[in-house]
mmCIF file of all heavy atoms in Angstrom:
data_model
loop_
_atom_site.group_PDB
_atom_site.id
_atom_site.type_symbol
_atom_site.label_atom_id
_atom_site.label_comp_id
_atom_site.label_asym_id
_atom_site.label_seq_id
_atom_site.Cartn_x
_atom_site.Cartn_y
_atom_site.Cartn_z
ATOM 1 N N PRO L 211 -68.310 -36.685 -52.869
ATOM 2 C CA PRO L 211 -66.942 -36.857 -52.329
ATOM 3 C C PRO L 211 -66.844 -38.017 -51.323
ATOM 4 O O PRO L 211 -67.776 -38.285 -50.590
ATOM 5 C CB PRO L 211 -66.661 -35.519 -51.615
ATOM 6 C CG PRO L 211 -67.604 -34.539 -52.287
ATOM 7 C CD PRO L 211 -68.818 -35.303 -52.670
ATOM 8 N N CYS L 212 -65.739 -38.726 -51.416
ATOM 9 C CA CYS L 212 -65.478 -39.858 -50.484
ATOM 10 C C CYS L 212 -64.132 -39.666 -49.878
ATOM 11 O O CYS L 212 -63.404 -38.687 -50.164
ATOM 12 C CB CYS L 212 -65.567 -41.209 -51.280
ATOM 13 S SG CYS L 212 -64.288 -41.354 -52.535
ATOM 14 N N GLU L 213 -63.771 -40.599 -49.042
ATOM 15 C CA GLU L 213 -62.474 -40.577 -48.298
ATOM 16 C C GLU L 213 -61.369 -41.052 -49.246
ATOM 17 O O GLU L 213 -61.338 -42.234 -49.587
ATOM 18 C CB GLU L 213 -62.544 -41.403 -47.058
ATOM 19 C CG GLU L 213 -63.720 -41.230 -46.188
ATOM 20 C CD GLU L 213 -63.771 -39.854 -45.481
ATOM 21 O OE1 GLU L 213 -62.821 -39.085 -45.600
ATOM 22 O OE2 GLU L 213 -64.769 -39.550 -44.841
ATOM 23 N N ARG L 214 -60.546 -40.143 -49.682
ATOM 24 C CA ARG L 214 -59.426 -40.594 -50.526
ATOM 25 C C ARG L 214 -58.322 -39.565 -50.638
ATOM 26 O O ARG L 214 -58.549 -38.375 -50.478
ATOM 27 C CB ARG L 214 -59.903 -40.994 -51.926
ATOM 28 C CG ARG L 214 -60.475 -39.849 -52.768
ATOM 29 C CD ARG L 214 -60.743 -40.331 -54.165
ATOM 30 N NE ARG L 214 -61.398 -39.237 -54.955
ATOM 31 C CZ ARG L 214 -61.666 -39.385 -56.243
ATOM 32 N NH1 ARG L 214 -61.409 -40.492 -56.908
ATOM 33 N NH2 ARG L 214 -62.199 -38.372 -56.929
ATOM 34 N N VAL L 215 -57.121 -40.077 -50.976
ATOM 35 C CA VAL L 215 -55.939 -39.292 -51.309
ATOM 36 C C VAL L 215 -55.321 -39.830 -52.533
ATOM 37 O O VAL L 215 -55.105 -41.076 -52.606
ATOM 38 C CB VAL L 215 -54.958 -39.256 -50.159
ATOM 39 C CG1 VAL L 215 -53.666 -38.551 -50.575
ATOM 40 C CG2 VAL L 215 -55.522 -38.580 -48.900
ATOM 41 N N CYS L 234 -50.731 -33.848 -54.017
ATOM 42 C CA CYS L 234 -51.787 -34.848 -53.985
ATOM 43 C C CYS L 234 -53.123 -34.061 -54.023
ATOM 44 O O CYS L 234 -53.191 -32.887 -53.774
ATOM 45 C CB CYS L 234 -51.723 -35.699 -52.721
ATOM 46 S SG CYS L 234 -52.227 -34.821 -51.224
ATOM 47 N N THR L 235 -54.153 -34.842 -54.402
ATOM 48 C CA THR L 235 -55.505 -34.342 -54.212
ATOM 49 C C THR L 235 -56.165 -35.191 -53.190
ATOM 50 O O THR L 235 -55.868 -36.318 -52.930
ATOM 51 C CB THR L 235 -56.341 -34.483 -55.568
ATOM 52 O OG1 THR L 235 -56.339 -35.845 -55.980
ATOM 53 C CG2 THR L 235 -55.704 -33.623 -56.670
ATOM 54 N N TYR L 236 -57.127 -34.569 -52.481
ATOM 55 C CA TYR L 236 -57.790 -35.267 -51.346
ATOM 56 C C TYR L 236 -59.223 -34.831 -51.287
ATOM 57 O O TYR L 236 -59.639 -33.739 -51.741
ATOM 58 C CB TYR L 236 -57.045 -34.963 -50.037
ATOM 59 C CG TYR L 236 -57.068 -33.543 -49.654
ATOM 60 C CD1 TYR L 236 -58.040 -33.017 -48.833
ATOM 61 C CD2 TYR L 236 -56.059 -32.725 -50.071
ATOM 62 C CE1 TYR L 236 -58.042 -31.601 -48.453
ATOM 63 C CE2 TYR L 236 -56.048 -31.356 -49.721
ATOM 64 C CZ TYR L 236 -57.038 -30.849 -48.903
ATOM 65 O OH TYR L 236 -57.035 -29.488 -48.576
ATOM 66 N N SER L 237 -60.078 -35.708 -50.656
ATOM 67 C CA SER L 237 -61.461 -35.329 -50.453
ATOM 68 C C SER L 237 -62.013 -36.086 -49.261
ATOM 69 O O SER L 237 -61.458 -37.157 -48.825
ATOM 70 C CB SER L 237 -62.278 -35.678 -51.709
ATOM 71 O OG SER L 237 -62.339 -37.076 -51.958
ATOM 72 N N SER L 238 -63.094 -35.634 -48.720
ATOM 73 C CA SER L 238 -63.843 -36.239 -47.668
ATOM 74 C C SER L 238 -65.326 -35.830 -47.664
ATOM 75 O O SER L 238 -65.570 -34.654 -48.085
ATOM 76 C CB SER L 238 -63.217 -35.976 -46.293
ATOM 77 O OG SER L 238 -63.983 -36.485 -45.221
ATOM 78 N N TYR L 239 -66.185 -36.696 -47.262
ATOM 79 C CA TYR L 239 -67.624 -36.291 -47.264
ATOM 80 C C TYR L 239 -67.877 -35.502 -45.945
ATOM 81 O O TYR L 239 -68.981 -34.908 -45.862
ATOM 82 C CB TYR L 239 -68.523 -37.443 -47.418
ATOM 83 C CG TYR L 239 -68.758 -38.268 -46.115
ATOM 84 C CD1 TYR L 239 -69.933 -38.182 -45.399
ATOM 85 C CD2 TYR L 239 -67.725 -39.131 -45.615
ATOM 86 C CE1 TYR L 239 -70.117 -38.894 -44.217
ATOM 87 C CE2 TYR L 239 -67.938 -39.873 -44.467
ATOM 88 C CZ TYR L 239 -69.104 -39.757 -43.808
ATOM 89 O OH TYR L 239 -69.260 -40.460 -42.640
ATOM 90 N N GLN L 240 -66.923 -35.479 -45.047
ATOM 91 C CA GLN L 240 -67.082 -34.674 -43.880
ATOM 92 C C GLN L 240 -66.144 -33.432 -43.902
ATOM 93 O O GLN L 240 -65.269 -33.372 -44.782
ATOM 94 C CB GLN L 240 -66.709 -35.528 -42.624
ATOM 95 C CG GLN L 240 -67.503 -36.791 -42.438
ATOM 96 C CD GLN L 240 -67.035 -37.623 -41.266
ATOM 97 O OE1 GLN L 240 -67.165 -37.183 -40.156
ATOM 98 N NE2 GLN L 240 -66.467 -38.765 -41.535
ATOM 99 N N THR L 241 -66.317 -32.550 -43.004
ATOM 100 C CA THR L 241 -65.428 -31.414 -42.886
ATOM 101 C C THR L 241 -64.063 -31.780 -42.353
ATOM 102 O O THR L 241 -63.994 -32.428 -41.291
ATOM 103 C CB THR L 241 -66.050 -30.363 -41.959
ATOM 104 O OG1 THR L 241 -67.301 -29.908 -42.500
ATOM 105 C CG2 THR L 241 -65.118 -29.089 -41.905
ATOM 106 N N ILE L 242 -63.014 -31.445 -43.058
ATOM 107 C CA ILE L 242 -61.676 -31.787 -42.643
ATOM 108 C C ILE L 242 -61.186 -30.809 -41.585
ATOM 109 O O ILE L 242 -61.215 -29.597 -41.781
ATOM 110 C CB ILE L 242 -60.690 -31.813 -43.844
ATOM 111 C CG1 ILE L 242 -61.125 -32.984 -44.833
ATOM 112 C CG2 ILE L 242 -59.266 -31.983 -43.395
ATOM 113 C CD1 ILE L 242 -60.273 -32.977 -46.118
ATOM 114 N N GLU L 243 -60.766 -31.363 -40.454
ATOM 115 C CA GLU L 243 -60.315 -30.481 -39.336
ATOM 116 C C GLU L 243 -58.851 -30.258 -39.304
ATOM 117 O O GLU L 243 -58.439 -29.193 -38.772
ATOM 118 C CB GLU L 243 -60.826 -31.120 -38.003
ATOM 119 C CG GLU L 243 -62.339 -31.186 -37.919
ATOM 120 C CD GLU L 243 -62.833 -31.775 -36.593
ATOM 121 O OE1 GLU L 243 -61.949 -32.450 -35.921
ATOM 122 O OE2 GLU L 243 -64.010 -31.618 -36.198
ATOM 123 N N SER L 244 -58.073 -31.196 -39.732
ATOM 124 C CA SER L 244 -56.607 -31.024 -39.748
ATOM 125 C C SER L 244 -56.033 -31.799 -40.867
ATOM 126 O O SER L 244 -56.581 -32.826 -41.290
ATOM 127 C CB SER L 244 -55.997 -31.446 -38.420
ATOM 128 O OG SER L 244 -56.114 -32.854 -38.209
ATOM 129 N N LYS L 245 -54.876 -31.405 -41.382
ATOM 130 C CA LYS L 245 -54.169 -32.118 -42.441
ATOM 131 C C LYS L 245 -52.680 -31.745 -42.378
ATOM 132 O O LYS L 245 -52.343 -30.614 -42.031
ATOM 133 C CB LYS L 245 -54.800 -31.791 -43.814
ATOM 134 C CG LYS L 245 -54.870 -30.294 -44.112
ATOM 135 C CD LYS L 245 -55.655 -30.148 -45.419
ATOM 136 C CE LYS L 245 -55.803 -28.645 -45.811
ATOM 137 N NZ LYS L 245 -56.666 -27.896 -44.894
ATOM 138 N N PHE L 246 -51.811 -32.668 -42.751
ATOM 139 C CA PHE L 246 -50.397 -32.379 -42.827
ATOM 140 C C PHE L 246 -49.668 -33.466 -43.633
ATOM 141 O O PHE L 246 -50.238 -34.590 -43.885
ATOM 142 C CB PHE L 246 -49.780 -32.250 -41.437
ATOM 143 C CG PHE L 246 -49.916 -33.475 -40.537
ATOM 144 C CD1 PHE L 246 -49.032 -34.506 -40.601
ATOM 145 C CD2 PHE L 246 -51.001 -33.515 -39.664
ATOM 146 C CE1 PHE L 246 -49.165 -35.630 -39.783
ATOM 147 C CE2 PHE L 246 -51.131 -34.666 -38.788
ATOM 148 C CZ PHE L 246 -50.189 -35.734 -38.855
ATOM 149 N N GLU L 279 -51.580 -24.658 -50.928
ATOM 150 C CA GLU L 279 -52.909 -25.072 -51.369
ATOM 151 C C GLU L 279 -53.440 -24.016 -52.291
ATOM 152 O O GLU L 279 -54.153 -23.057 -51.894
ATOM 153 C CB GLU L 279 -53.820 -25.225 -50.161
ATOM 154 C CG GLU L 279 -53.369 -26.358 -49.225
ATOM 155 C CD GLU L 279 -54.536 -27.299 -48.816
ATOM 156 O OE1 GLU L 279 -55.678 -27.066 -49.231
ATOM 157 O OE2 GLU L 279 -54.253 -28.189 -47.982
ATOM 158 N N ARG L 282 -58.735 -25.741 -53.947
ATOM 159 C CA ARG L 282 -59.375 -26.593 -52.944
ATOM 160 C C ARG L 282 -59.176 -28.061 -53.292
ATOM 161 O O ARG L 282 -59.372 -28.511 -54.393
ATOM 162 C CB ARG L 282 -60.906 -26.246 -52.888
ATOM 163 C CG ARG L 282 -61.610 -27.026 -51.783
ATOM 164 C CD ARG L 282 -63.058 -26.568 -51.733
ATOM 165 N NE ARG L 282 -63.793 -27.258 -50.717
ATOM 166 C CZ ARG L 282 -65.083 -27.097 -50.412
ATOM 167 N NH1 ARG L 282 -65.760 -26.218 -51.163
ATOM 168 N NH2 ARG L 282 -65.667 -27.762 -49.470
ATOM 169 N N GLY L 283 -58.807 -28.816 -52.255
ATOM 170 C CA GLY L 283 -58.672 -30.238 -52.437
ATOM 171 C C GLY L 283 -57.326 -30.658 -53.033
ATOM 172 O O GLY L 283 -57.116 -31.859 -53.388
ATOM 173 N N ARG L 284 -56.387 -29.779 -53.141
ATOM 174 C CA ARG L 284 -55.045 -30.103 -53.578
ATOM 175 C C ARG L 284 -53.992 -29.502 -52.631
ATOM 176 O O ARG L 284 -54.064 -28.347 -52.211
ATOM 177 C CB ARG L 284 -54.767 -29.578 -55.019
ATOM 178 C CG ARG L 284 -53.290 -29.721 -55.481
ATOM 179 C CD ARG L 284 -53.093 -29.301 -56.883
ATOM 180 N NE ARG L 284 -53.717 -30.218 -57.846
ATOM 181 C CZ ARG L 284 -53.181 -31.383 -58.258
ATOM 182 N NH1 ARG L 284 -51.934 -31.741 -57.836
ATOM 183 N NH2 ARG L 284 -53.833 -32.194 -59.114
ATOM 184 N N SER L 285 -53.077 -30.403 -52.260
ATOM 185 C CA SER L 285 -52.038 -29.919 -51.344
ATOM 186 C C SER L 285 -50.653 -30.237 -51.925
ATOM 187 O O SER L 285 -50.455 -31.325 -52.549
ATOM 188 C CB SER L 285 -52.122 -30.675 -49.987
ATOM 189 O OG SER L 285 -51.084 -30.272 -49.085
ATOM 190 N N PHE L 302 -49.574 -37.926 -47.109
ATOM 191 C CA PHE L 302 -50.513 -36.866 -46.719
ATOM 192 C C PHE L 302 -51.572 -37.503 -45.817
ATOM 193 O O PHE L 302 -52.106 -38.584 -46.070
ATOM 194 C CB PHE L 302 -51.161 -36.225 -47.951
ATOM 195 C CG PHE L 302 -52.118 -35.113 -47.590
ATOM 196 C CD1 PHE L 302 -51.597 -33.798 -47.300
ATOM 197 C CD2 PHE L 302 -53.479 -35.302 -47.625
ATOM 198 C CE1 PHE L 302 -52.532 -32.807 -46.985
ATOM 199 C CE2 PHE L 302 -54.368 -34.316 -47.317
ATOM 200 C CZ PHE L 302 -53.855 -33.037 -46.977
ATOM 201 N N LYS L 303 -51.927 -36.771 -44.700
ATOM 202 C CA LYS L 303 -52.925 -37.312 -43.803
ATOM 203 C C LYS L 303 -53.929 -36.236 -43.470
ATOM 204 O O LYS L 303 -53.556 -35.001 -43.340
ATOM 205 C CB LYS L 303 -52.215 -37.765 -42.484
ATOM 206 C CG LYS L 303 -53.174 -38.236 -41.396
ATOM 207 C CD LYS L 303 -52.409 -38.615 -40.129
ATOM 208 C CE LYS L 303 -53.383 -39.064 -39.032
ATOM 209 N NZ LYS L 303 -52.663 -39.486 -37.812
ATOM 210 N N PHE L 304 -55.209 -36.610 -43.338
ATOM 211 C CA PHE L 304 -56.192 -35.615 -42.903
ATOM 212 C C PHE L 304 -57.133 -36.322 -41.882
ATOM 213 O O PHE L 304 -57.265 -37.561 -41.824
ATOM 214 C CB PHE L 304 -57.040 -35.068 -44.044
ATOM 215 C CG PHE L 304 -57.921 -36.057 -44.744
ATOM 216 C CD1 PHE L 304 -59.136 -36.434 -44.233
ATOM 217 C CD2 PHE L 304 -57.523 -36.643 -45.938
ATOM 218 C CE1 PHE L 304 -59.970 -37.304 -44.842
ATOM 219 C CE2 PHE L 304 -58.364 -37.493 -46.619
ATOM 220 C CZ PHE L 304 -59.580 -37.839 -46.077
ATOM 221 N N THR L 305 -57.743 -35.507 -41.013
ATOM 222 C CA THR L 305 -58.690 -36.043 -40.013
ATOM 223 C C THR L 305 -59.953 -35.191 -40.061
ATOM 224 O O THR L 305 -59.935 -33.998 -40.361
ATOM 225 C CB THR L 305 -58.069 -35.975 -38.617
ATOM 226 O OG1 THR L 305 -57.708 -34.626 -38.302
ATOM 227 C CG2 THR L 305 -56.871 -36.845 -38.478
ATOM 228 N N THR L 306 -61.089 -35.867 -39.733
ATOM 229 C CA THR L 306 -62.363 -35.216 -39.542
ATOM 230 C C THR L 306 -62.853 -35.516 -38.167
ATOM 231 O O THR L 306 -62.122 -36.122 -37.386
ATOM 232 C CB THR L 306 -63.370 -35.716 -40.608
ATOM 233 O OG1 THR L 306 -63.734 -37.083 -40.272
ATOM 234 C CG2 THR L 306 -62.825 -35.647 -42.024
ATOM 235 N N GLN L 307 -64.012 -35.118 -37.822
ATOM 236 C CA GLN L 307 -64.531 -35.316 -36.523
ATOM 237 C C GLN L 307 -64.645 -36.823 -36.212
ATOM 238 O O GLN L 307 -64.407 -37.300 -35.050
ATOM 239 C CB GLN L 307 -65.911 -34.706 -36.342
ATOM 240 C CG GLN L 307 -66.472 -34.785 -34.876
ATOM 241 C CD GLN L 307 -67.785 -34.107 -34.750
ATOM 242 O OE1 GLN L 307 -68.346 -33.487 -35.689
ATOM 243 N NE2 GLN L 307 -68.401 -34.179 -33.553
ATOM 244 N N PHE L 308 -64.987 -37.661 -37.260
ATOM 245 C CA PHE L 308 -65.234 -39.054 -37.017
ATOM 246 C C PHE L 308 -64.304 -40.011 -37.793
ATOM 247 O O PHE L 308 -64.426 -41.230 -37.755
ATOM 248 C CB PHE L 308 -66.662 -39.438 -37.373
ATOM 249 C CG PHE L 308 -67.710 -38.647 -36.628
ATOM 250 C CD1 PHE L 308 -68.399 -37.596 -37.249
ATOM 251 C CD2 PHE L 308 -67.944 -38.862 -35.292
ATOM 252 C CE1 PHE L 308 -69.338 -36.855 -36.617
ATOM 253 C CE2 PHE L 308 -68.909 -38.126 -34.634
ATOM 254 C CZ PHE L 308 -69.587 -37.109 -35.279
ATOM 255 N N TYR L 309 -63.336 -39.427 -38.537
ATOM 256 C CA TYR L 309 -62.528 -40.230 -39.422
ATOM 257 C C TYR L 309 -61.114 -39.757 -39.551
ATOM 258 O O TYR L 309 -60.829 -38.553 -39.435
ATOM 259 C CB TYR L 309 -63.177 -40.287 -40.872
ATOM 260 C CG TYR L 309 -62.444 -41.156 -41.786
ATOM 261 C CD1 TYR L 309 -62.598 -42.509 -41.818
ATOM 262 C CD2 TYR L 309 -61.589 -40.535 -42.751
ATOM 263 C CE1 TYR L 309 -61.873 -43.317 -42.724
ATOM 264 C CE2 TYR L 309 -60.881 -41.367 -43.683
ATOM 265 C CZ TYR L 309 -61.040 -42.762 -43.622
ATOM 266 O OH TYR L 309 -60.353 -43.508 -44.521
ATOM 267 N N GLU L 310 -60.203 -40.662 -39.809
ATOM 268 C CA GLU L 310 -58.783 -40.334 -40.033
ATOM 269 C C GLU L 310 -58.304 -41.133 -41.223
ATOM 270 O O GLU L 310 -58.325 -42.376 -41.222
ATOM 271 C CB GLU L 310 -57.992 -40.691 -38.761
ATOM 272 C CG GLU L 310 -56.493 -40.476 -38.858
ATOM 273 C CD GLU L 310 -55.729 -40.850 -37.600
ATOM 274 O OE1 GLU L 310 -55.688 -39.968 -36.681
ATOM 275 O OE2 GLU L 310 -55.237 -41.973 -37.506
ATOM 276 N N TRP L 311 -57.840 -40.436 -42.245
ATOM 277 C CA TRP L 311 -57.197 -41.108 -43.394
ATOM 278 C C TRP L 311 -55.834 -41.585 -42.984
ATOM 279 O O TRP L 311 -54.905 -40.817 -42.768
ATOM 280 C CB TRP L 311 -57.107 -40.162 -44.577
ATOM 281 C CG TRP L 311 -56.406 -40.831 -45.775
ATOM 282 C CD1 TRP L 311 -55.105 -40.775 -46.078
ATOM 283 C CD2 TRP L 311 -57.020 -41.676 -46.762
ATOM 284 N NE1 TRP L 311 -54.816 -41.462 -47.206
ATOM 285 C CE2 TRP L 311 -55.943 -42.059 -47.658
ATOM 286 C CE3 TRP L 311 -58.297 -42.156 -47.010
ATOM 287 C CZ2 TRP L 311 -56.198 -42.880 -48.705
ATOM 288 C CZ3 TRP L 311 -58.529 -42.995 -48.074
ATOM 289 C CH2 TRP L 311 -57.499 -43.337 -48.948
#
Side-chain angles (χ1 to χ4, degrees):
C212 65
E213 313 290 355
R214 66 173 176 176
V215 172
C234 73
T235 58
Y236 61 92
S237 66
S238 174
Y239 80 104
Q240 302 177 68
T241 301
I242 295 175
E243 296 182 342
S244 67
K245 53 186 181 292
F246 59 85
E279 295 225 4
R282 185 176 181 182
R284 173 175 291 274
S285 180
F302 180 80
K303 177 181 178 179
F304 67 80
T305 59
T306 69
Q307 183 178 359
F308 303 105
Y309 180 80
E310 177 180 277
W311 175 267

